[in-house]
Amino acid sequence: MTLAAPDPENVSAMGAMAEPQPMHQPENSNEHSNENAHDNAHGSDLATGSVELPAVYIASDIESTLYAEWENAGVFRAHAEDAAEREPFVMVMPPPNVTAILHVGHGLNNTVQDVLIRWRRMSGDEALWVPGTDHAGIATQNVVEKMLVTEGKTRFDVGRAAFTGRVEKFVEETGGQILEQLKAIGASADWSRTAYTFSPQLSRAVREAFVRLHEDGLIYKGHRVIHWCPRCGTSLSDEEAEFHESSGKLYHIRYTLDENDVGNLATAPDDADGALPPGITVATTRPETMLGDTAVAVHPGDKRYQALIGKHLILPVNGLRIPVIADEYTDPEFGSGAVKITPAHDANDFEVGKRHNLPAPVVIDAEGIVREVEDANGRVPASLSGLDRFRAREQILEMLRADGSLLRTESHSHNVRHCYRCNTVVEPRLSDQWFVSMKPLAARALEAFRTGELRILPERWEAVYVNWLEGIRDWNISRQIWWGHRIPVWYCDECDSPPIVSREDVQACPSCGGGVHQDEDVLDTWFSSWLWPFSTLGWPDEDSPDLKAFYPGDVLVTAPEILFFWVSRMVMAGCWFMDKPPFHTVYLHGTVRDVQHRKMSKSLGNGIDPLDVVRLFGADALRWTMISGLGLGVDVMLDPDDLDTSFASGRNFCTKLWNISRFLLTRVGAENVLPLSTVSPDSFTAADAWILARLDAAIADCDTALGPPRPANGHAWTDEDRRRGLRLSEYAESARRFVWNELADWYLESSKPRLAQGGADGDVARAVLAHCFDAALRLLHPVVPFITETLWQRVPRATSNEDYNRSSTTVSTSPSAFSTASSSASSTASSTATESRTKKSFLATARWPSKQFESDSSIKRGAAAFELAQEVIQAIRHTRSEYNLKPGAPMDVLVASGSAGAAARNPENEALLATQFPTIEAMTRARLSMVGNTPTLLAAHHLLSNGNELIIPLAHLVDLDKERGRLSTEIESLAKAHASLESRLANEKFTARAPAELVEAERAKATEWGERLSGLKRKLESLSS
RNA sequence: GGGCGAAUAGCUCAGUUGGUUAGAGCGCCUGCUUUACACGCAGGAUGUCGGGGGUUCGAGUCCCUCUUCGCCCACCA
């Protein structure tokens, strides 16, 4: 029950996947799964198809075996050389963190991608889905640091080299499990290209990008206030410092005027009572930062403080003297209209400080400890030095209370930035960091959107994307952690030469030959992620065949949360380094939530483990449930406490497919059937015609819901196409409706007598049934790949369906072709030409269905006849139900010319209907006969849409009141609709202004309704007399 | 504070440029173990399309407004 070992080359490329992981989580139920595989009668045979289908479908008996078969056959692999002949269709998987384990969010994200890639693969594209993991700098470092804590150590105790070694080892041992888990849900990625953001290949891309941007003048080192996580010990980008609403306190503190400056200022401007000493009141939520205050700012136009500008105040607690300055930044309306300025600990204050040449003393260190860090002599009293920032806050408030400086405390709800990795309150901190100038990059990304090269679905995110890019700020890319790509900058130890930015490691100073040392910082993990769409294809090697064949890609599927972190930046990187956006479509799917609409999360304990669902109901049930509920941009609601109900629709649907197949195998036989193309159109029955027409409609609906797969002109979306496609729930519903409500409920039922009868007509029914189910399996395969593949291998199909198979899709089953797969950088080396081909074909590579009978008028006629039969059948069943008659009880049904009388008889209609009598009788167990005039009998009545009347004599059983009631109800609702239609047609403005076609159709409808209405009325009268 | 979205059957949602008597799944009610399927089959009920106003021959669909709920962004100390 374990998957084949991952390709050894992948392992090294990944630096992560060491051992083959069990298909299922190694928990208690794993043993059970293993037992199944060995003991159950239908283990691996199911996939190859040589035993009868068991009565009950057990997903776990087929899924892992089948997955291995696909993978060994190279079904998921894409080849650069084939992309010349086929259209390439490329997606890159959002790389999960290397330490991640699968949760339902990954499940949804990857299922969506898998549906798309399988659809395109079947449609004949050279479909490439690039998988991989992200080294996830801070997150992974945190995991290993926590492990060290259990040993009572910090990373500083073990040292940088030993620590990173430890992380590497950890990643090698347990990293990348999630990729194996993705196989359990059926993800058909090209695992031979599994990438890793910290692999040598991708690290080369990172250096290239850094150096190139530096050459372009877009990377610089800046000295400014950045977001700092004291727990993680690193700076963060704006996006990594998330706002969370928190209820804090706003403290009003009195800064008194320096005695020498009091002069003739009798009272303070903000103190009408004169109760306070002359000075200014400031308000702050972070009193601890006052130790680093270098000024108090007022608005230049604020009359209250005019006289104080240029004077000095005495800072409480440390008694330092600071100036009152005038700056536009101050909002006179807020608080007292005066704001304390702490240049080193607030980004805005830093800007104010620069304008006024203020010093920027640092009074809180990297760990959030208050002390005199830099330029801060005499600022931190000994009693405060060494305290944590929050302890120091309390202490300072005590001191302020004691000397009367704390005037007021009010509660204050505000947003505070927290570290997105550990949720610690972020500390603004003055430091040297590397930045990327984003405006030039953003300009190109905006251009790509405006020219239509890029679209985002759902549409509403486009405005968010544009808004963010237009207001973009420079990106802090340096991190003071150890796990990540070291910044490729070296400094000379001996001379003053400028820093050396280099693609290659630098050993000696190019100017003086002296020793050098590399920058200590590493790069933001997203600095490698944003290159993912091309670094995984061989960039910066511009001649890489993969890069040439597969860039740019097509669709990016992800959650809206990382639109800024990742998606926008990938577009910027793609436009900058590759001159083209990396994909033409961004598909942002919803979130999986619980019944209370809360996001599923580990901390809330409301999550669903996708592997639990796989074990219980199978991957297909999981996939079906998620996809069929996935409206565009809509969240998926599932109940973690009731998996049975949550996944019922998926499980039930799989069972239905299974049972249809069992029917086919017993009633149609396991032998192949006649190809449809060899069946003379004359031998199609009305039912055949109808189901073939429905198949065409289902194919059209699926195509519309899913596509178009790419812009029609190859590079930019038209306004018309921009909003189309990726309606996954509509696609799933269209396919489901066809196979269940149309094929199984109607066609299959109607064909039972024909199959039992055998003969030529039986063969036609077998051919049509097999053809339609074959097509249905194809349509469904992207959503429920395992069961459809299993069934497709076993159910009867046309003897020659080469015409229906994708050409040259037979794939190699020779393991040797794959065990030598090379790393992603040169994976194209294993050419298709060298692969041995076998006759085995998979549904996974079979051709996506296309419409065949669109313009066939005999099909249309037949379909109409069958629809009439359906009407009769439903009427008879309705009567049976209404009169509580056993389904099998004998029943006579008369078809009369209708209440309109003999004059209105339409022999053609009647003849058409008469051809359907056998079908109707078989499906209702009624005996039908045609009569001329409507006989007067105690009977149930139905007026058919073709004008004929259905009379079901029930003698003593008939309830005239019931009959009259039913007629009255129908008359009532029809009369209402008819009246509204008539008044619309009577309105000259409507007939004049509405499209002629519509008016025509409405007139025809009005006539039809009118006839039916009078028919119903006459009927009612006859029953009343 | 700014921007965006949503409100349709008990629940989750479709409803594509305004034009069938507004649909699906799940749930609910009734009947049925008919040799593919009770994880099923057949039949059935259920909506002043959030409130109000407007445009139009015609509005679930477009506009305004109100209410409720979400999401994104933002330096108000």
Side-chain angles (χ1 to χ4, degrees), chain A residues 201-266:
Chain A
Q201 166 62 24
L202 272 68
S203 299
R204 196 159 78 88
V206 165
R207 272 206 186 177
E208 179 68 26
F210 186 96
V211 175
R212 221 185 267 189
L213 285 174
H214 186 263
E215 288 166 354
D216 294 337
L218 296 181
I219 281 192
Y220 64 95
K221 196 168 195 175
H223 182 68
R224 62 177 70 164
V225 173
I226 42 74
H227 310 297
W228 180 267
C229 175
R231 203 224 60 83
C232 296
T234 182
S235 66
L236 301 169
S237 66
D238 294 343
E239 289 70 35
E240 290 171 323
E242 296 179 332
F243 280 110
H244 292 304
E245 177 91 19
S246 82
S247 53
K249 297 270 198 294
L250 188 61
Y251 304 98
H252 296 257
I253 303 165
R254 188 68 176 176
Y255 289 10
T256 53
L257 201 56
D258 185 345
E259 287 172 7
N260 303 322
D261 284 344
V262 173
N264 54 1
L265 282 166

Side-chain angles (χ1 to χ4, degrees), chain A residues 165 167 279 300 324 495 771 787 799 1025:
Chain A
V167 181
V324 178
C495 74
H771 172 85
I787 191 166
T799 42
S1025 57

Side-chain angles (χ1 to χ4, degrees), chain A residues 482-639:
Chain A
W482 290 346
W483 179 242
H485 303 94
R486 199 80 178 260
I487 289 181
V489 174
W490 285 261
Y491 305 93
C492 180
D493 296 328
E494 286 158 43
C495 74
D496 286 338
S497 72
I500 308 135
V501 179
S502 170
R503 288 172 177 84
E504 308 299 332
D505 284 0
V506 175
Q507 309 298 343
C509 174
S511 324
C512 72
V516 293
H517 66 275
Q518 189 173 2
D519 197 296
E520 293 295 317
D521 291 353
V522 303
L523 288 160
D524 183 357
T525 207
W526 299 100
F527 194 89
S528 52
S529 315
W530 76 329
L531 310 173
W532 189 250
F534 43 93
S535 63
T536 54
L537 296 174
W539 192 85
D541 175 7
E542 309 275 356
D543 294 327
S544 155
D546 277 357
L547 194 63
K548 286 180 172 167
F550 296 122
Y551 191 92
D554 293 88
V555 182
L556 182 86
V557 179
T558 192
E561 289 101 89
I562 52 175
L563 181 60
F564 306 139
F565 274 117
W566 192 49
V567 180
S568 306
R569 287 182 185 149
M570 274 192 291
V571 178
M572 289 190 273
C575 292
W576 194 263
F577 296 113
M578 297 294 297
D579 253 337
K580 282 177 202 144
F583 26 75
H584 53 67
T585 298
V586 175
Y587 174 87
L588 299 175
H589 58 244
T591 308
V592 184
R593 297 177 183 277
D594 68 12
V595 280
Q596 293 166 59
H597 297 194
R598 297 176 308 179
K599 197 170 168 175
M600 288 188 177
S601 75
K602 211 190 263 181
S603 54
L604 281 173
N606 62 345
I608 289 176
D609 182 349
L611 299 179
D612 281 344
V613 180
V614 169
R615 270 192 293 272
L616 288 166
F617 315 115
D620 288 335
L622 171 76
R623 295 167 61 111
W624 178 265
T625 303
M626 293 192 298
I627 295 299
S628 62
L630 196 70
L632 188 63
V634 169
D635 291 341
V636 179
M637 311 295 171
L638 296 170
D639 186 353

Side-chain angles (χ1 to χ4, degrees), chain A residues 157-172:
Chain A
D157 295 332
V158 296
R160 182 162 193 156
F163 180 80
T164 51
R166 179 107 185 211
V167 181
E168 268 165 32
K169 188 159 164 278
F170 173 72
V171 165
E172 264 170 38

